[in-house]
Amino acid sequence: MKVRKAVIPAAGLGTRMLPATKTVPKEMLPMVDKPVIQYIIEEAVAAGIEDILIVTNRAKSAMDDYFDYYPELETRLNQAGKERELIEVRRAADLANIFYVRQKETKGLGHAIWRAKRFVGDEPFAVLLGDDIMRAKKPVTAQLVEAAEKYNACAVGVQKVSTEAISKYSSVKVSPLEERIFSVSDMNEKPRPEQIFSNYAILGRYVLTPAIFGILENVRPGYGGEIQLTDGLRELCLRDKMVAVDFEGRRYDTGNLNGFLEATIDFALDHPATGPWLRRFIREKAAQL
Ligand code: UTP
């Protein structure tokens, strides 16, 4: 199993970040000096992915523009001797082979993934949610790809969350294979207390086989009236081998205000242009609280 392709579903309406996301896609909001989506593309590239499909919608063409060349701007930067900015602007456009497909109706994450069927063909592929940024020494997608290749199986990225929090995620039924890797035999989307399989929640990263498409075609709308990816994954893990990887690293859900601010502060603290200043600023603020 060799994973060369990735799909980034980014066609959600972003209602938790309104009004900011009314006309600016949440994936394009700045995380210090780069849009959120760029961190996700960089993670995929760092995992050896060559071709990336972004699932978008009619309000999200800013993403296609961002990963394109911009000759007028580049000429101006060149003339002004702004070499660093020029390199960064070009680098974004040259990160990977990026393709786009529209999800014409917002029918849920499972439906968005199904739109990738033609792009994926008959290869295994990675899925990275467009608003989940991971910070890890080894890219989380690389951790999943490694496990998927080792076990010749699908893989889902999981971490332990509290019993109160698991009802917001998908809970997986697991049995251990080795340190941090489990085999998956069942799962539940947004479980009620009596439906919780374990406190391991699926968090934004997957390696799947094209078998998911045939399954998604027959999945009925589930929680919230949407085609849920978890309902398709449940069927997939009952049929085929699936592993869960308790990945090393921190996940930020930038699709809600608190997660977005946590990520902004952590990334800004680490950034050489903002870190020293922000440290001083936070100390001053904390003294006033
Ligand atoms: P979310 O639930 O986090 O995104 O979906 P959302 O629907 O934009 O969020 P809110 O609740 O309205 O704020 C998880 C992922 O699935 C994508 C989203 O873009 C996000 O990456 N998604 C969701 C789609 O691509 N299409 C959909 O129909 C729904």
Side-chain angles (χ1 to χ4, degrees):
M1 179 188 262
K2 177 90 189 86
V3 183
R4 297 185 312 114
K5 293 182 178 176
V7 175
I8 302 180
L13 296 178
T15 56
R16 286 167 297 161
M17 297 289 277
L18 284 169
T21 48
K22 183 178 168 190
T23 52
V24 178
K26 63 178 167 178
E27 298 79 8
M28 288 303 293
L29 293 176
M31 186 50 63
V32 189
D33 58 354
K34 294 188 288 190
V36 165
I37 185 94
Q38 185 165 345
Y39 291 86
I40 292 157
I41 301 258
E42 286 173 353
E43 179 190 326
V45 170
I49 305 283
E50 295 158 14
D51 296 338
I52 297 172
L53 178 77
I54 306 181
V55 184
T56 65
N57 68 23
R58 61 187 69 78
K60 302 221 177 187
S61 33
M63 279 191 281
D64 326 16
D65 294 340
Y66 183 78
F67 293 110
D68 193 2
Y69 291 152
Y70 190 170
E72 195 188 348
L73 173 67
E74 291 169 21
T75 306
R76 189 65 67 86
L77 292 174
N78 200 13
Q79 284 165 350
K82 296 197 165 179
E83 205 178 320
R84 191 186 61 80
E85 288 83 351
L86 180 59
I87 289 170
E88 284 304 314
V89 162
R90 258 290 156 132
R91 194 174 74 81
D94 288 333
L95 277 172
N97 303 318
I98 303 181
F99 302 83
Y100 304 88
V101 69
R102 283 193 178 183
Q103 185 188 19
K104 295 176 199 163
E105 294 170 281
T106 314
K107 286 186 173 175
L109 176 57
H111 181 257
I113 301 286
W114 176 77
R115 295 288 291 142
K117 183 176 174 187
R118 293 292 289 267
F119 165 81
V120 164
D122 57 4
E123 297 182 37
F125 63 105
V127 174
L128 298 85
L129 296 195
D131 52 1
D132 274 348
I133 297 187
M134 305 290 184
R135 247 157 54 113
K137 279 205 195 88
K138 182 174 189 173
V140 174
T141 296
Q143 297 179 42
L144 259 67
V145 165
E146 206 173 278
E149 289 179 353
K150 178 170 176 186
Y151 288 94
N152 202 21
C154 294
V156 290
V158 299
Q159 278 188 338
K160 253 192 177 151
V161 301
S162 67
T163 303
E164 300 78 65
I166 193 80
S167 63
K168 290 190 283 178
Y169 300 99
S170 297
S171 163
V172 283
K173 189 172 180 181
V174 289
S175 48
L177 289 169
E178 61 177 279
E179 207 187 339
R180 308 191 82 96
I181 302 186
F182 305 85
S183 96
V184 179
S185 55
D186 209 344
M187 65 181 68
N188 254 330
E189 170 84 11
K190 300 193 171 53
R192 292 193 297 274
E194 69 279 9
Q195 296 173 319
I196 296 171
F197 285 125
S198 75
N199 284 35
Y200 283 107
I202 304 182
L203 297 177
R205 296 293 184 268
Y206 316 78
V207 172
L208 305 175
T209 57
I212 191 71
F213 298 116
I215 295 172
L216 286 173
E217 261 153 42
N218 296 308
V219 165
R220 292 174 171 278
Y223 186 89
E226 298 192 330
I227 309 284
Q228 295 293 343
L229 178 61
T230 307
D231 293 340
L233 291 178
R234 176 165 192 267
E235 185 78 31
L236 190 64
C237 82
L238 297 176
R239 275 195 210 174
D240 292 341
K241 213 156 135 190
M242 183 181 290
V243 295
V245 180
D246 179 7
F247 60 83
E248 287 178 291
R250 161 101 204 249
R251 171 237 186 203
Y252 299 89
D253 176 5
T254 67
N256 75 71
L257 215 45
N258 290 354
F260 184 84
L261 290 175
E262 280 171 17
T264 300
I265 291 168
D266 278 355
F267 279 88
L269 283 171
D270 276 359
H271 196 296
T274 51
W277 162 80
L278 185 59
R279 229 164 236 108
R280 276 197 308 276
F281 180 75
I282 290 177
R283 276 199 200 104
E284 276 169 31
K285 278 277 154 200
Q288 292 164 15
L289 291 176

